[in-house]
Amino acid sequence: MVKFARLSFFLFSLAALVSPIFGQDYSAYLNNRIFQPCMKPVCYDDVGCFQPFKLQAYLGLPPVAACPQPPDELGVEFKVMRYNNSYEFFNLFGISPNSSVAYVIPGYRSEHTELFNMELVDGLLKHYDQIVLVRWDLGANPSLLFDIPVTRYNKFLAAANSEAVGRIIGNSIDFIVNNRSINPDNITLVGHGLGGNTIHFAADWIKEKYNLTVGKAVVLDPDAIPFYFSNKKISGKGDAKIVDVIHSTFVAPVPVLGQRFAGNTKTGALTPTGDSDYFINFPDSWNDQPGCDGLEFCSSHFSIMTFAASLHGCRFETKPCSSNIFQRFTSKEVGLDSSQTGPQGRICIKVSEKPIKRCS
């Protein structure tokens, strides 16, 4: 915390020093929400009020509590995509009435997931009429000064932002239900990391404000840090009529010990929350998924590739998730879709390196 306080002081001082030289107040470009505690609720038009995201359990890392940035600072965009001999792009007004829709919601530092999301989109377009790509780059990787993000420390503000993004997504769901005649049962929300966490906030918002529940949610490696030991929930049962959670990184809910993962890219929830929770290569993959070898984001992205493979028809060997490390995977194979199999509870699956290529 001392190092970060020094960094913040240095950047603020730098902004103050260069301001008179260039005749501008550069301190206005400092995003103090990253390190300044938010102790009171904040309210914004169209998305309501937010209680501070309590972060006291994360000792030595600022802030004590965080609130989301104003919606116009989050950079939220909706791009509707469908395939008709070639990819076509529209806004929400372009959604075909009485059709099926899947939202794709990236997570923390979402600029790193676009290639993986396109693999996901290709798979989803086999099952849905159109895809809504959600962009929230500015909120997912908040800048500290001069549009420069400081990773690790901005994770907490990004987590707070995910609640506002969830409500914005919720408003878009109400729009397509009422203006494009989309049946909520035909809407699926797919989110990775913090994008997966937005699903809970979207679900809560549309239940409370619009009395809506979507048909399905697929939560890919939802972030446990900083949701463990906070006043905010991880996405799970009840956020849709069917909730599947696919886990590829694992952080145990242990105070203080878990906080060292706050800036790591392996911050997935170990606890099951969905109707079906699929744990990939657990417990062998505690450190890395196959082929990742410490590569940043790789193990978390493995959940995206595994789900994309399932959309292409891949099935995976299973075994009960237990503490018996000698238990072998069985020849029984499953897909990753509770709408087809019914709720499966907690289940471990075996997935090889490059899952799409291996079963295509």
Side-chain angles (χ1 to χ4, degrees), residues 231-306:
N231 58 331
K232 307 295 181 179
K233 287 181 62 177
I234 297 172
S235 298
K237 287 182 182 179
D239 289 339
K241 292 182 178 179
I242 297 171
V243 179
D244 289 336
V245 186
I246 301 174
H247 305 256
S248 59
T249 65
F250 317 104
V251 177
V254 180
V256 182
L257 179 63
Q259 78 177 51
R260 75 182 188 88
F261 294 98
N264 200 312
T265 57
K266 302 171 189 173
T267 59
L270 180 62
T271 50
T273 59
D275 295 299
S276 296
D277 283 81
Y278 305 94
F279 289 81
I280 301 174
N281 299 322
F282 183 81
D284 305 320
S285 57
W286 189 272
N287 289 322
D288 271 316
Q289 291 293 348
C292 286
D293 301 323
L295 184 65
E296 188 179 38
F297 287 104
C298 179
S299 288
S300 185
H301 290 164
F302 206 78
S303 62
I304 301 176
M305 303 309 291
T306 300

Coordinates of all heavy atoms in Angstrom, one line a residue, residues 231-306:
N231 N -19.4 -7.3 0.1 CA -20.8 -7.3 0.2 C -21.5 -7.5 -1.2 O -22.7 -7.3 -1.3 CB -21.3 -5.9 0.8 CG -20.8 -4.8 -0.1 OD1 -19.8 -4.8 -0.7 ND2 -21.5 -3.7 0.0
K232 N -20.7 -8.0 -2.1 CA -21.3 -8.3 -3.5 C -21.2 -9.8 -3.8 O -20.3 -10.5 -3.3 CB -20.5 -7.5 -4.5 CG -20.4 -6.0 -4.3 CD -21.7 -5.3 -4.3 CE -21.6 -3.8 -4.0 NZ -22.8 -3.0 -4.1
K233 N -22.1 -10.3 -4.6 CA -22.2 -11.7 -4.9 C -21.6 -12.1 -6.2 O -21.6 -11.3 -7.1 CB -23.7 -12.1 -4.9 CG -24.4 -12.2 -3.5 CD -25.8 -12.6 -3.7 CE -25.9 -14.0 -4.2 NZ -27.3 -14.5 -4.3
I234 N -21.1 -13.3 -6.3 CA -20.7 -13.9 -7.5 C -21.9 -14.4 -8.2 O -22.9 -14.9 -7.6 CB -19.7 -15.0 -7.3 CG1 -18.4 -14.4 -6.6 CG2 -19.3 -15.8 -8.5 CD1 -17.4 -15.5 -6.1
S235 N -21.9 -14.4 -9.5 CA -23.1 -14.9 -10.3 C -23.3 -16.4 -10.0 O -22.4 -17.1 -9.8 CB -22.8 -14.7 -11.8 OG -22.7 -13.3 -12.1
G236 N -24.6 -16.7 -10.0 CA -25.0 -18.1 -9.7 C -26.5 -18.4 -9.9 O -27.2 -17.7 -10.6
K237 N -26.9 -19.4 -9.1 CA -28.3 -19.8 -9.2 C -29.3 -18.7 -9.0 O -29.1 -17.8 -8.2 CB -28.6 -20.9 -8.1 CG -28.0 -22.2 -8.4 CD -28.4 -23.2 -7.2 CE -27.8 -24.5 -7.4 NZ -28.1 -25.5 -6.3
G238 N -30.3 -18.7 -9.9 CA -31.3 -17.7 -9.8 C -31.1 -16.5 -10.7 O -32.0 -15.7 -10.9
D239 N -29.9 -16.3 -11.2 CA -29.6 -15.2 -12.1 C -30.2 -15.4 -13.5 O -30.3 -14.5 -14.3 CB -28.1 -15.0 -12.2 CG -27.5 -14.4 -10.9 OD1 -28.3 -13.8 -10.1 OD2 -26.3 -14.5 -10.7
A240 N -30.6 -16.6 -13.8 CA -31.3 -17.0 -15.0 C -32.1 -18.3 -14.7 O -31.8 -18.9 -13.6 CB -30.4 -17.2 -16.2
K241 N -32.9 -18.7 -15.5 CA -33.6 -20.0 -15.3 C -32.7 -21.2 -15.2 O -32.9 -22.1 -14.5 CB -34.7 -20.2 -16.3 CG -35.8 -19.1 -16.2 CD -37.0 -19.3 -17.2 CE -38.0 -18.3 -17.0 NZ -39.2 -18.4 -17.9
I242 N -31.6 -21.1 -16.0 CA -30.5 -22.1 -16.0 C -29.2 -21.3 -15.9 O -29.0 -20.4 -16.7 CB -30.5 -23.0 -17.2 CG1 -31.8 -23.7 -17.3 CG2 -29.3 -23.9 -17.2 CD1 -32.0 -24.5 -18.6
V243 N -28.3 -21.7 -15.0 CA -27.0 -21.1 -14.8 C -26.0 -22.2 -14.8 O -25.9 -23.0 -14.0 CB -26.9 -20.3 -13.5 CG1 -25.5 -19.7 -13.4 CG2 -28.0 -19.2 -13.5
D244 N -25.1 -22.1 -15.8 CA -23.9 -23.0 -15.9 C -22.7 -22.2 -15.6 O -22.5 -21.1 -16.2 CB -23.8 -23.6 -17.3 CG -24.9 -24.6 -17.6 OD1 -25.4 -25.2 -16.7 OD2 -25.2 -24.9 -18.8
V245 N -21.8 -22.7 -14.8 CA -20.6 -22.0 -14.4 C -19.4 -22.9 -14.8 O -19.4 -24.1 -14.5 CB -20.5 -21.7 -12.9 CG1 -19.3 -20.8 -12.6 CG2 -21.8 -20.9 -12.5
I246 N -18.5 -22.4 -15.6 CA -17.3 -23.2 -16.0 C -16.0 -22.6 -15.4 O -15.7 -21.4 -15.6 CB -17.2 -23.2 -17.5 CG1 -18.5 -23.8 -18.1 CG2 -16.0 -24.0 -18.0 CD1 -18.5 -23.7 -19.7
H247 N -15.4 -23.4 -14.6 CA -14.2 -22.9 -13.8 C -12.9 -23.4 -14.4 O -12.8 -24.6 -14.6 CB -14.3 -23.4 -12.3 CG -15.6 -23.1 -11.6 ND1 -15.7 -22.1 -10.7 CD2 -16.8 -23.7 -11.7 CE1 -16.9 -22.1 -10.2 NE2 -17.6 -23.0 -10.8
S248 N -12.0 -22.5 -14.6 CA -10.6 -22.9 -15.1 C -9.5 -22.4 -14.2 O -8.3 -22.8 -14.4 CB -10.5 -22.5 -16.5 OG -10.6 -21.1 -16.7
T249 N -9.7 -21.4 -13.3 CA -8.7 -21.0 -12.3 C -9.4 -21.0 -10.9 O -10.6 -20.9 -10.9 CB -8.1 -19.6 -12.6 OG1 -9.1 -18.6 -12.5 CG2 -7.5 -19.6 -14.0
F250 N -8.6 -21.2 -9.9 CA -9.2 -21.5 -8.6 C -8.5 -20.8 -7.5 O -7.3 -20.9 -7.3 CB -9.1 -23.0 -8.3 CG -9.5 -23.8 -9.6 CD1 -8.5 -24.5 -10.3 CD2 -10.8 -24.0 -10.0 CE1 -8.8 -25.2 -11.4 CE2 -11.1 -24.7 -11.1 CZ -10.1 -25.3 -11.8
V251 N -9.3 -19.9 -6.8 CA -8.8 -19.2 -5.6 C -9.6 -19.7 -4.4 O -10.8 -19.5 -4.4 CB -8.8 -17.7 -5.8 CG1 -8.4 -17.0 -4.5 CG2 -8.0 -17.3 -6.9
A252 N -9.0 -20.2 -3.4 CA -9.7 -20.6 -2.2 C -10.2 -19.4 -1.4 O -9.4 -18.4 -1.3 CB -8.8 -21.5 -1.3
P253 N -11.4 -19.5 -0.8 CA -11.9 -18.4 0.0 C -11.2 -18.3 1.4 O -11.8 -18.6 2.4 CB -13.4 -18.7 0.1 CG -13.5 -20.1 0.0 CD -12.3 -20.6 -0.9
V254 N -9.9 -17.9 1.4 CA -9.1 -17.9 2.6 C -8.7 -16.4 2.8 O -8.0 -15.9 2.0 CB -7.9 -18.8 2.6 CG1 -7.1 -18.7 3.9 CG2 -8.3 -20.2 2.3
P255 N -9.1 -15.7 3.9 CA -8.8 -14.3 4.1 C -7.3 -14.1 4.1 O -6.5 -15.0 4.5 CB -9.4 -14.0 5.5 CG -10.4 -15.0 5.7 CD -10.0 -16.3 5.0
V256 N -6.8 -13.0 3.6 CA -5.4 -12.6 3.6 C -4.7 -13.4 2.6 O -4.0 -12.9 1.7 CB -4.7 -12.6 4.9 CG1 -3.3 -12.1 4.8 CG2 -5.5 -11.7 5.9
L257 N -4.7 -14.8 2.7 CA -4.0 -15.6 1.7 C -4.5 -15.4 0.3 O -3.7 -15.3 -0.6 CB -4.2 -17.1 2.1 CG -3.5 -18.1 1.2 CD1 -2.0 -17.9 1.2 CD2 -3.8 -19.5 1.6
G258 N -5.8 -15.3 0.2 CA -6.4 -15.1 -1.2 C -6.1 -13.8 -1.8 O -6.1 -13.6 -3.0
Q259 N -5.8 -12.7 -1.0 CA -5.6 -11.4 -1.5 C -4.4 -11.3 -2.4 O -4.3 -10.4 -3.2 CB -5.6 -10.4 -0.4 CG -4.3 -10.3 0.3 CD -4.3 -9.2 1.4 OE1 -5.2 -9.1 2.2 NE2 -3.3 -8.3 1.3
R260 N -3.4 -12.1 -2.2 CA -2.2 -12.0 -3.0 C -2.5 -12.3 -4.5 O -1.7 -11.9 -5.4 CB -1.1 -13.0 -2.5 CG -1.3 -14.4 -2.9 CD -0.2 -15.3 -2.3 NE -0.3 -16.6 -2.7 CZ 0.3 -17.1 -3.8 NH1 1.0 -16.2 -4.6 NH2 0.3 -18.3 -4.2
F261 N -3.7 -12.8 -4.8 CA -4.1 -13.1 -6.2 C -4.8 -11.9 -6.8 O -5.2 -12.0 -7.9 CB -5.0 -14.3 -6.2 CG -4.3 -15.6 -5.8 CD1 -4.5 -16.1 -4.6 CD2 -3.6 -16.3 -6.8 CE1 -3.9 -17.3 -4.2 CE2 -3.0 -17.5 -6.4 CZ -3.1 -18.0 -5.1
A262 N -4.9 -10.8 -6.0 CA -5.7 -9.7 -6.5 C -5.3 -9.2 -7.8 O -6.1 -8.8 -8.7 CB -5.7 -8.6 -5.5
G263 N -4.0 -9.1 -8.1 CA -3.6 -8.6 -9.4 C -3.2 -9.7 -10.3 O -2.8 -9.5 -11.5
N264 N -3.4 -11.0 -9.9 CA -3.1 -12.1 -10.7 C -4.2 -12.3 -11.7 O -5.3 -11.8 -11.6 CB -3.0 -13.4 -9.8 CG -2.2 -14.5 -10.5 OD1 -2.5 -14.8 -11.6 ND2 -1.2 -15.0 -9.8
T265 N -3.9 -13.0 -12.8 CA -5.0 -13.3 -13.7 C -5.6 -14.7 -13.5 O -6.4 -15.2 -14.3 CB -4.4 -13.3 -15.2 OG1 -3.3 -14.2 -15.3 CG2 -3.9 -11.9 -15.5
K266 N -5.3 -15.3 -12.4 CA -5.9 -16.6 -12.0 C -6.7 -16.3 -10.7 O -6.3 -16.6 -9.6 CB -4.9 -17.6 -11.7 CG -3.9 -17.9 -12.9 CD -2.8 -18.8 -12.4 CE -1.7 -18.9 -13.5 NZ -0.5 -19.6 -13.1
T267 N -7.9 -15.7 -10.9 CA -8.7 -15.3 -9.7 C -10.1 -15.9 -9.7 O -11.0 -15.4 -9.2 CB -8.8 -13.8 -9.7 OG1 -9.4 -13.3 -10.9 CG2 -7.5 -13.1 -9.6
G268 N -10.2 -17.1 -10.4 CA -11.5 -17.7 -10.5 C -12.0 -18.3 -9.2 O -11.3 -18.6 -8.2
A269 N -13.3 -18.5 -9.1 CA -14.0 -18.9 -7.8 C -13.8 -20.5 -7.7 O -14.1 -21.2 -8.7 CB -15.5 -18.5 -7.8
L270 N -13.5 -20.9 -6.5 CA -13.4 -22.3 -6.2 C -14.7 -22.9 -5.8 O -15.0 -24.0 -6.0 CB -12.3 -22.6 -5.1 CG -12.1 -24.0 -4.7 CD1 -11.6 -24.9 -5.8 CD2 -11.1 -24.1 -3.5
T271 N -15.6 -22.0 -5.3 CA -16.9 -22.4 -4.7 C -17.9 -22.5 -5.9 O -18.0 -21.7 -6.7 CB -17.4 -21.4 -3.7 OG1 -17.3 -20.1 -4.2 CG2 -16.5 -21.5 -2.4
P272 N -18.7 -23.6 -5.8 CA -19.8 -23.8 -6.9 C -20.9 -22.8 -6.6 O -21.3 -22.6 -5.4 CB -20.2 -25.2 -6.7 CG -19.9 -25.6 -5.3 CD -18.6 -24.8 -4.9
T273 N -21.5 -22.2 -7.6 CA -22.6 -21.3 -7.5 C -23.7 -21.6 -8.4 O -24.8 -21.0 -8.2 CB -22.1 -19.8 -7.7 OG1 -21.6 -19.7 -9.0 CG2 -21.1 -19.4 -6.7
G274 N -23.5 -22.4 -9.5 CA -24.5 -22.5 -10.5 C -25.4 -23.7 -10.3 O -25.3 -24.5 -9.3
D275 N -26.3 -24.0 -11.3 CA -27.0 -25.2 -11.4 C -26.1 -26.4 -11.7 O -26.3 -27.5 -11.2 CB -28.2 -25.1 -12.4 CG -29.2 -24.1 -12.0 OD1 -29.8 -24.2 -10.9 OD2 -29.4 -23.1 -12.7
S276 N -25.2 -26.1 -12.6 CA -24.1 -27.0 -12.9 C -22.8 -26.2 -12.8 O -22.7 -25.1 -13.4 CB -24.2 -27.6 -14.3 OG -25.4 -28.4 -14.4
D277 N -21.8 -26.8 -12.1 CA -20.5 -26.2 -12.1 C -19.4 -27.1 -12.6 O -19.2 -28.2 -12.1 CB -20.1 -25.8 -10.6 CG -20.8 -24.5 -10.1 OD1 -22.0 -24.7 -9.8 OD2 -20.2 -23.5 -10.2
Y278 N -18.8 -26.8 -13.7 CA -17.8 -27.6 -14.4 C -16.4 -27.1 -14.0 O -16.0 -26.0 -14.4 CB -18.0 -27.6 -15.9 CG -19.4 -27.9 -16.3 CD1 -20.4 -26.9 -16.5 CD2 -19.8 -29.3 -16.6 CE1 -21.7 -27.3 -16.9 CE2 -21.1 -29.6 -17.0 CZ -22.0 -28.6 -17.2 OH -23.3 -28.9 -17.5
F279 N -15.7 -28.0 -13.4 CA -14.3 -27.6 -13.0 C -13.3 -28.3 -13.9 O -13.3 -29.5 -14.0 CB -14.0 -28.1 -11.5 CG -14.8 -27.2 -10.5 CD1 -16.1 -27.4 -10.2 CD2 -14.1 -26.2 -9.9 CE1 -16.8 -26.7 -9.3 CE2 -14.8 -25.4 -8.9 CZ -16.1 -25.6 -8.6
I280 N -12.6 -27.5 -14.7 CA -11.7 -28.0 -15.7 C -10.4 -28.5 -15.2 O -9.7 -27.8 -14.5 CB -11.4 -26.9 -16.8 CG1 -12.7 -26.4 -17.4 CG2 -10.5 -27.5 -17.9 CD1 -12.5 -25.2 -18.3
N281 N -10.2 -29.8 -15.4 CA -8.9 -30.5 -15.0 C -8.5 -30.3 -13.5 O -7.4 -30.2 -13.2 CB -7.7 -30.0 -15.9 CG -7.9 -30.3 -17.4 OD1 -8.4 -31.3 -17.7 ND2 -7.6 -29.3 -18.2
F282 N -9.5 -30.2 -12.7 CA -9.3 -30.0 -11.3 C -9.1 -31.3 -10.6 O -9.7 -32.3 -10.9 CB -10.5 -29.3 -10.7 CG -10.4 -29.0 -9.2 CD1 -9.7 -27.8 -8.8 CD2 -10.9 -29.8 -8.3 CE1 -9.6 -27.5 -7.5 CE2 -10.8 -29.5 -6.9 CZ -10.2 -28.3 -6.5
P283 N -8.1 -31.4 -9.6 CA -7.2 -30.4 -9.1 C -5.9 -30.2 -9.8 O -5.0 -29.5 -9.4 CB -7.1 -30.8 -7.7 CG -7.0 -32.3 -7.8 CD -8.0 -32.7 -8.9
D284 N -5.7 -31.0 -10.9 CA -4.4 -31.0 -11.5 C -4.0 -29.6 -12.1 O -2.8 -29.3 -12.2 CB -4.4 -32.0 -12.7 CG -4.8 -33.4 -12.2 OD1 -4.3 -33.8 -11.1 OD2 -5.5 -34.1 -12.9
S285 N -5.0 -28.8 -12.4 CA -4.8 -27.6 -13.0 C -4.7 -26.4 -12.0 O -5.0 -25.3 -12.4 CB -5.9 -27.3 -14.1 OG -7.1 -27.3 -13.4
W286 N -4.4 -26.7 -10.8 CA -4.4 -25.6 -9.8 C -3.5 -24.5 -10.2 O -3.8 -23.3 -10.0 CB -4.0 -26.2 -8.4 CG -4.1 -25.3 -7.3 CD1 -3.3 -24.3 -6.9 CD2 -5.3 -25.1 -6.5 NE1 -3.8 -23.6 -5.8 CE2 -5.0 -24.1 -5.6 CE3 -6.5 -25.8 -6.4 CZ2 -6.0 -23.7 -4.6 CZ3 -7.5 -25.4 -5.5 CH2 -7.2 -24.3 -4.6
N287 N -2.3 -24.8 -10.8 CA -1.4 -23.8 -11.2 C -1.7 -23.3 -12.6 O -1.7 -22.1 -12.9 CB 0.0 -24.3 -11.1 CG 0.5 -24.4 -9.7 OD1 0.1 -23.6 -8.8 ND2 1.2 -25.5 -9.4
D288 N -1.8 -24.2 -13.6 CA -2.0 -23.8 -15.0 C -2.8 -24.9 -15.7 O -2.8 -26.1 -15.4 CB -0.6 -23.7 -15.7 CG 0.0 -22.4 -15.6 OD1 -0.7 -21.4 -15.7 OD2 1.2 -22.3 -15.3
Q289 N -3.6 -24.4 -16.7 CA -4.3 -25.3 -17.6 C -3.3 -25.8 -18.7 O -2.2 -25.1 -18.9 CB -5.4 -24.6 -18.3 CG -6.6 -24.3 -17.3 CD -7.3 -25.5 -16.8 OE1 -7.1 -26.6 -17.3 NE2 -8.1 -25.4 -15.8
P290 N -3.6 -26.9 -19.4 CA -2.6 -27.4 -20.3 C -2.1 -26.4 -21.4 O -2.9 -25.7 -22.0 CB -3.4 -28.5 -21.0 CG -4.4 -28.9 -20.0 CD -4.8 -27.7 -19.2
G291 N -0.8 -26.3 -21.5 CA -0.2 -25.5 -22.5 C -0.1 -24.0 -22.1 O 0.5 -23.2 -22.9
C292 N -0.5 -23.7 -20.9 CA -0.4 -22.3 -20.5 C 0.9 -21.9 -19.9 O 1.4 -20.8 -20.2 CB -1.5 -22.0 -19.5 SG -3.2 -21.9 -20.2
D293 N 1.5 -22.7 -19.1 CA 2.9 -22.5 -18.7 C 3.1 -21.1 -18.1 O 4.1 -20.4 -18.5 CB 3.9 -22.8 -19.8 CG 3.8 -24.2 -20.3 OD1 3.6 -25.1 -19.4 OD2 4.0 -24.5 -21.5
G294 N 2.2 -20.6 -17.3 CA 2.4 -19.3 -16.7 C 2.0 -18.1 -17.5 O 2.2 -17.0 -17.1
L295 N 1.6 -18.3 -18.8 CA 1.2 -17.2 -19.7 C 0.0 -16.5 -19.1 O -1.0 -17.1 -18.8 CB 0.9 -17.8 -21.1 CG 0.6 -16.8 -22.2 CD1 1.9 -15.9 -22.4 CD2 0.2 -17.5 -23.4
E296 N 0.2 -15.2 -19.1 CA -0.9 -14.3 -18.5 C -2.2 -14.5 -19.2 O -2.3 -14.6 -20.4 CB -0.4 -12.8 -18.5 CG -1.4 -11.9 -17.8 CD -0.9 -10.5 -17.9 OE1 -0.5 -10.0 -18.9 OE2 -1.0 -9.8 -16.8
F297 N -3.2 -14.6 -18.4 CA -4.6 -14.8 -18.8 C -4.9 -16.2 -19.4 O -6.1 -16.5 -19.6 CB -5.0 -13.7 -19.8 CG -5.2 -12.4 -19.2 CD1 -4.3 -11.4 -19.4 CD2 -6.4 -12.1 -18.5 CE1 -4.4 -10.1 -18.9 CE2 -6.6 -10.8 -18.0 CZ -5.6 -9.8 -18.1
C298 N -3.9 -17.0 -19.8 CA -4.2 -18.2 -20.5 C -5.1 -19.1 -19.8 O -6.0 -19.7 -20.4 CB -2.8 -18.9 -20.8 SG -3.0 -20.4 -21.7
S299 N -4.8 -19.4 -18.5 CA -5.6 -20.4 -17.8 C -7.1 -19.9 -17.6 O -8.0 -20.7 -17.7 CB -5.0 -20.7 -16.4 OG -3.8 -21.4 -16.5
S300 N -7.2 -18.6 -17.5 CA -8.6 -18.1 -17.4 C -9.3 -18.2 -18.7 O -10.5 -18.5 -18.8 CB -8.6 -16.6 -16.9 OG -9.9 -16.2 -16.7
H301 N -8.6 -17.9 -19.8 CA -9.2 -17.9 -21.1 C -9.5 -19.4 -21.5 O -10.3 -19.6 -22.4 CB -8.2 -17.4 -22.2 CG -8.1 -15.9 -22.1 ND1 -7.0 -15.2 -22.7 CD2 -8.8 -14.9 -21.4 CE1 -7.2 -13.9 -22.4 NE2 -8.2 -13.7 -21.7
F302 N -8.9 -20.3 -20.8 CA -9.2 -21.7 -21.1 C -10.7 -22.1 -21.0 O -11.2 -22.9 -21.6 CB -8.3 -22.6 -20.2 CG -8.0 -24.0 -20.8 CD1 -7.1 -24.1 -21.8 CD2 -8.7 -25.1 -20.4 CE1 -6.8 -25.4 -22.4 CE2 -8.4 -26.3 -20.9 CZ -7.5 -26.5 -21.9
S303 N -11.3 -21.4 -20.1 CA -12.8 -21.6 -19.9 C -13.5 -21.1 -21.1 O -14.5 -21.8 -21.5 CB -13.3 -20.8 -18.6 OG -13.1 -19.4 -18.8
I304 N -13.1 -20.0 -21.8 CA -13.7 -19.6 -23.0 C -13.6 -20.6 -24.1 O -14.5 -21.0 -24.8 CB -13.1 -18.2 -23.4 CG1 -13.3 -17.2 -22.4 CG2 -13.8 -17.8 -24.8 CD1 -12.6 -15.8 -22.7
M305 N -12.3 -21.1 -24.2 CA -12.1 -22.1 -25.3 C -12.8 -23.4 -25.1 O -13.3 -24.0 -26.0 CB -10.6 -22.3 -25.4 CG -9.8 -21.0 -25.7 SD -10.4 -20.0 -27.1 CE -10.0 -21.1 -28.4
T306 N -12.9 -23.8 -23.8 CA -13.6 -25.0 -23.5 C -15.1 -24.9 -23.8 O -15.7 -25.8 -24.4 CB -13.4 -25.4 -22.0 OG1 -12.0 -25.6 -21.8 CG2 -14.2 -26.7 -21.6

